[in-house]
Amino acid sequence: MADCGVVLFHTTSAAFGAEKALIRAGIKCALIPVPRELSTDCGIAMRFDWPDRENVIRILQEAGVEIAGTHKTERRH
Amino acid sequence: MKTVDARGQACPKPLIAAKKALAEMPAGETLTILIDNPTSRQNVERFLRDNGMSPRWTEENGVFTLTVAKPAGELAKPDAESYCRTDSRAGHVIVFASNRMGDGSDELGELLIKSLINIIAETSPLPSHIVFYNSGIFLAVEGSTLIDSLRELEKKGVRLLVCGTCLQYYGRTDSLRVGTISNMYEILQTMTDAGHVVKP
């Protein structure tokens, strides 16, 4: 089971911005509800493959998307 | 009056026992069946109704008591075992009648439906089918960011039915990327047969 990570956000608009930026960059990503063991203000997170972490952070920084951190999670299925 | 005690038994045993008892009874006699799990009770009830009977049931302390009068003649639907739903994936159907979830903000609705579809694969039990119609078809066509998640569900045996009329109406028939083109007959039958229908 591949390790995944999630990017957390303070706002839903940041989540949207992240999706746009990552899709444009061709990075595999999926908007999901924040995993139960974590918590955020807006309840939406972006799941990505953990090996892509550095790219994800860089792309979001360059796109001006504010994030509330990244966490490693285990795929539940 | 004949009594079948199917307590402690899971499908298809109560169904088979009910069918056997009916075969051994004269018409007009009352059959009482004791069942202690809700799934079997539902399945036995459907079997009896499909055979023209009107079972009544009561429940006490987790035990269901069904009573029914045996009708005259042969059973119309004698295949009792087919009423057995032991596969948990045969339970429910998810219907996407829109590519947004909830009313109010379209933008929020788009976000919500994405986050829901992306986690269906990790929830249990999986739906037996997912149905898409009207703007729901956009979730399954070229341009949707949900194709990968939906393909994953298909691989796990979930049947995705996408309304053909809707695809044609929106000019997207050639853009379908996941699921099979379906029609109102199949969609209606699927929703009718479902244990329950989930409409996010």
Side-chain angles (χ1 to χ4, degrees):
Chain A
M1 211 111 299
D3 279 337
C4 286
V6 287
V7 183
L8 304 181
F9 309 100
H10 294 296
T11 64
T12 53
S13 51
F16 273 122
E19 190 191 29
K20 258 203 208 88
L22 290 173
I23 287 178
R24 196 169 44 222
I27 302 252
K28 184 170 145 218
C29 62
L31 285 167
I32 60 166
V34 173
R36 280 180 270 248
E37 62 270 19
L38 304 167
S39 92
T40 66
D41 295 325
C42 71
I44 294 282
M46 179 73 79
R47 186 174 63 204
F48 61 93
D49 290 337
W50 192 248
D52 288 334
R53 183 172 173 269
E54 306 236 330
N55 276 337
V56 167
I57 292 177
R58 179 182 50 83
I59 285 162
L60 294 181
Q61 206 162 46
E62 283 169 7
V65 175
E66 196 188 334
I67 68 173
T70 62
H71 292 264
K72 195 174 192 194
T73 61
E74 223 177 72
R75 206 82 189 264
R76 264 162 264 227
H77 56 279
Chain B
M1 187 177 92
K2 194 173 172 80
T3 302
V4 165
D5 187 350
R7 285 176 296 180
Q9 291 178 4
C11 277
K13 289 210 179 90
L15 286 156
I16 294 170
K19 177 182 170 179
K20 185 161 178 288
L22 286 169
E24 292 166 358
M25 290 164 59
E29 193 176 312
T30 303
L31 172 65
T32 299
I33 311 171
L34 300 173
I35 295 175
D36 60 9
N37 78 83
T39 305
S40 289
R41 184 202 66 71
Q42 274 180 334
N43 293 342
V44 170
E45 187 180 14
R46 278 185 311 119
F47 167 67
L48 296 171
R49 283 194 195 287
D50 278 5
N51 281 294
M53 289 172 259
S54 306
R56 309 211 345 255
W57 59 271
T58 56
E59 189 254 354
E60 199 178 321
N61 294 328
V63 178
F64 303 94
T65 304
L66 282 86
T67 47
V68 75
K70 179 179 168 173
E74 301 279 324
L75 292 178
K77 296 246 169 100
D79 186 8
E81 287 90 328
S82 73
Y83 285 84
C84 190
R85 286 221 182 108
T86 53
D87 179 359
S88 63
R89 287 194 291 162
H92 70 283
V93 167
I94 302 182
V95 172
F96 290 111
S98 163
N99 59 344
R100 307 272 187 259
M101 186 168 160
D103 293 314
S105 157
D106 273 354
E107 188 186 59
L108 176 59
E110 186 187 331
L111 187 62
L112 294 176
I113 213 166
K114 282 178 182 175
S115 69
L116 182 130
I117 290 178
N118 284 329
I119 57 163
I120 296 177
E122 67 195 66
T123 49
S124 175
L126 287 175
S128 60
H129 297 74
I130 301 180
V131 170
F132 304 81
Y133 57 77
N134 211 319
S135 63
I137 62 131
F138 288 103
L139 300 166
V141 301
E142 178 78 39
S144 164
T145 54
L146 299 161
I147 307 290
D148 284 344
S149 290
L150 292 173
R151 282 205 179 128
E152 198 178 342
L153 292 168
E154 253 189 336
K155 273 202 211 103
K156 291 181 175 231
V158 179
R159 290 217 52 222
L160 308 187
L161 306 181
V162 183
C163 170
T165 300
C166 309
L167 284 167
Q168 199 276 331
Y169 178 91
Y170 287 116
R172 295 293 199 278
T173 309
D174 296 331
S175 306
L176 187 64
R177 293 291 170 262
V178 67
T180 52
I181 299 184
S182 184
N183 58 75
M184 189 58 85
Y185 294 104
E186 189 179 19
I187 286 173
L188 178 59
Q189 193 67 55
T190 298
M191 295 193 293
T192 305
D193 291 342
H196 61 276
V197 170
V198 172
K199 259 190 122 186

